[in-house]
Structure formats: structure tokens, C-alpha cells
Amino acid sequence: MDSSFYTAVRGAMSQQTHMDILSNNIANMNTNGYKTKTASFQDLLHYYNMRAPETEVTRYEAGTGSIVQRTDTDFTDGVLISTGLQFDYAIQGTGFFMIQDPVDNTITYTRDGSFALSERADGMYLADDQGRLVLDAAQNPIRYEGGELSAAPGIFDFVHTNGMVSVGTNGFVPSAKNGNVMPAQDSELVQGCLEGSNVDLADEMSKVIVSSRAYTYMLRMVQTADEVEQTINGLRG
């Protein structure tokens, strides 16, 4: 079958993935600390010379489709929303809160500072809405004793944040290229506030329109390629 058919199918699949990413951004525009995801596209295979010998100076190149290579995260700050609640925190600047799962001690990082107290066998601790423990600057769980927290939540950062892996529930884990965790520089902890998402609804909606039109064109290309094949087969018959 003509390569245009497969190219169009791959294009439609890529735009469907793009639409999934955009719809996820829009659905989370009111999620505390949510960071916008963007799709990065890549050629599926290298370009090749079409109807031109290698020795010719002038070459006509044809592509073979595209895929969504990766999903990047925009870590720019969201707006601060004042709540006045004692256990709500926001980060101004770069960095993350460090969260520890009390069951398996796995560490995740988040910008969502909507915390509360969690009662455990040995006392009260500051935790997120999943019951995971919030760690201080010394990477220790924060206890609640005598009406006060033992320490403020720590702010941690990496040399590079590009490529951090989203693990759901607004959390991230670092990859090898992010480097070792370190205390955040030039960041401020704001109590009684939460960071809103950095989703720009107008920008996301404009991308939805572009992606939906591209998807329509890809399907039209599939239909056209199929009609061409039917015509060729009819002439052969």
C-alpha cells in the first residue's frame, strides 16, 4: 500500500496523543501545583530521497511520518492563592517538596503544598493527601508536637529539572540526567498559601483547535490514499 496511508495513520495517532495531553492540562487547570505538559514531536524515520539518484545534486525528500517522542513539563511558577490555613505551603521560585511513602520509603517530589496532619503509631506528622510524610530540610519527617511543627517543609531542587518523570498524584521522580538532589537556591517558602496550576487555558484551547484540525486532515489523507488504491486496483482489474 502507498506510504502516504501509513504516514497519515501515524500522524493521526500522534495528534490523538497530543489531544490527550492537552485535555489532561485543561482538566488539571484547578489542581494545586500542577505543571503544564507539552508534547515534543519527532520524525518516525529518517528522510529519504524520492526518485533521485544519490549522485544528483538536486534531491527530492519525502518524510515517513511522526510520533510524540516525549512529554515535557513546564516548571514555571503558578499564581499564589491565599488560604490562610496553617498547613498550606507554596514555593516561590524553583524547587519541590520532598514526600516519603511511610510504607516503602520511596521518595517523590511535588509542588502541591496542600498538607494536613496524619496520626501514626508514634505521633502526629505533617503529610500530603495520600498520607505520605512531608520531609524537612534535613530530610526527616516533620512531627507535630505541643501545637507546633518540629520544622518547616524543606525545598529541594536539581541541577536540571527537564526530564523528571511524572508518577501521578501530581508527583515527580528524578531521572539520571537530573543529577543529585540538593537544597533549593533563591526559593521562598510561603505559609498559608497554595500554588495554582500554570495552565494557560487560552493557549491550551488554541492548541486543541490546531491539533483537531490536523487530526481531521490526517483522516482525510487516509481516505484519499485508500481511494487512490481502489482506483489503481480497479484499473488493474
Side-chain angles (χ1 to χ4, degrees), residues 94-198:
T94 60
F96 304 87
F97 297 111
M98 182 183 287
I99 308 297
Q100 182 183 56
D101 191 319
V103 177
D104 56 12
N105 293 325
T106 56
I107 299 295
T108 57
Y109 299 86
T110 185
R111 294 279 298 195
D112 183 1
S114 179
F115 302 138
L117 296 180
S118 175
E119 184 175 4
R120 309 196 65 78
D122 58 345
M124 302 287 288
Y125 289 87
L126 189 67
D128 67 359
D129 57 2
Q130 304 293 317
R132 297 172 297 185
L133 304 177
V134 182
L135 305 187
D136 61 17
Q139 301 186 23
N140 296 317
I142 301 173
R143 298 178 65 95
Y144 183 75
E145 298 175 316
E148 294 183 353
L149 297 175
S150 60
I155 305 177
F156 302 88
D157 204 359
F158 298 88
V159 176
H160 306 288
T161 56
N162 186 35
M164 292 191 72
V165 181
S166 180
V167 292
T169 63
N170 223 2
F172 298 89
V173 294
S175 59
K177 70 176 182 180
N178 297 128
N180 295 324
V181 64
M182 61 184 181
Q185 303 295 324
D186 302 323
S187 297
E188 180 183 355
L189 182 68
V190 183
Q191 188 174 14
C193 290
L194 293 174
E195 180 187 12
S197 75
N198 64 354

Side-chain angles (χ1 to χ4, degrees), residues 17 45 88 135 140 236:
T17 302
L45 294 173
D88 282 350
L135 305 187
N140 296 317
R236 287 174 178 172

Side-chain angles (χ1 to χ4, degrees), residues 2-216:
D2 194 281
S3 63
S4 61
F5 181 88
Y6 297 104
T7 300
V9 170
R10 285 303 322 178
M13 293 173 65
S14 296
Q15 291 304 324
Q16 179 62 64
T17 302
H18 191 204
M19 288 287 287
D20 292 341
I21 295 170
L22 295 174
S23 62
N24 185 63
N25 287 338
I26 295 173
N28 284 283
M29 64 175 297
N30 292 320
T31 300
N32 298 324
Y34 179 80
K35 299 304 177 184
T36 304
K37 306 295 189 297
T38 57
S40 294
F41 294 88
Q42 179 187 2
D43 293 340
L44 184 59
L45 294 173
H46 67 279
Y47 281 81
Y48 62 90
N49 295 326
M50 181 176 64
R51 298 176 183 173
E54 292 289 339
T55 56
E56 289 189 10
V57 177
T58 303
R59 299 176 180 176
Y60 299 93
E61 294 186 335
T64 54
S66 66
I67 58 172
V68 175
Q69 180 190 25
R70 67 181 186 273
T71 302
D72 296 323
T73 304
D74 177 9
F75 284 109
T76 57
D77 289 0
V79 297
L80 293 188
I81 304 170
S82 178
T83 65
L85 299 178
Q86 180 182 359
F87 305 121
D88 282 350
Y89 293 91
I91 298 174
Q92 279 191 314
T94 60
F96 304 87
F97 297 111
M98 182 183 287
I99 308 297
Q100 182 183 56
D101 191 319
V103 177
D104 56 12
N105 293 325
T106 56
I107 299 295
T108 57
Y109 299 86
T110 185
R111 294 279 298 195
D112 183 1
S114 179
F115 302 138
L117 296 180
S118 175
E119 184 175 4
R120 309 196 65 78
D122 58 345
M124 302 287 288
Y125 289 87
L126 189 67
D128 67 359
D129 57 2
Q130 304 293 317
R132 297 172 297 185
L133 304 177
V134 182
L135 305 187
D136 61 17
Q139 301 186 23
N140 296 317
I142 301 173
R143 298 178 65 95
Y144 183 75
E145 298 175 316
E148 294 183 353
L149 297 175
S150 60
I155 305 177
F156 302 88
D157 204 359
F158 298 88
V159 176
H160 306 288
T161 56
N162 186 35
M164 292 191 72
V165 181
S166 180
V167 292
T169 63
N170 223 2
F172 298 89
V173 294
S175 59
K177 70 176 182 180
N178 297 128
N180 295 324
V181 64
M182 61 184 181
Q185 303 295 324
D186 302 323
S187 297
E188 180 183 355
L189 182 68
V190 183
Q191 188 174 14
C193 290
L194 293 174
E195 180 187 12
S197 75
N198 64 354
V199 176
D200 185 336
L201 181 59
D203 184 50
E204 296 302 305
M205 290 302 297
S206 64
K207 291 178 181 178
V208 166
I209 294 173
V210 172
S211 186
S212 62
R213 288 182 177 176
Y215 182 79
T216 300

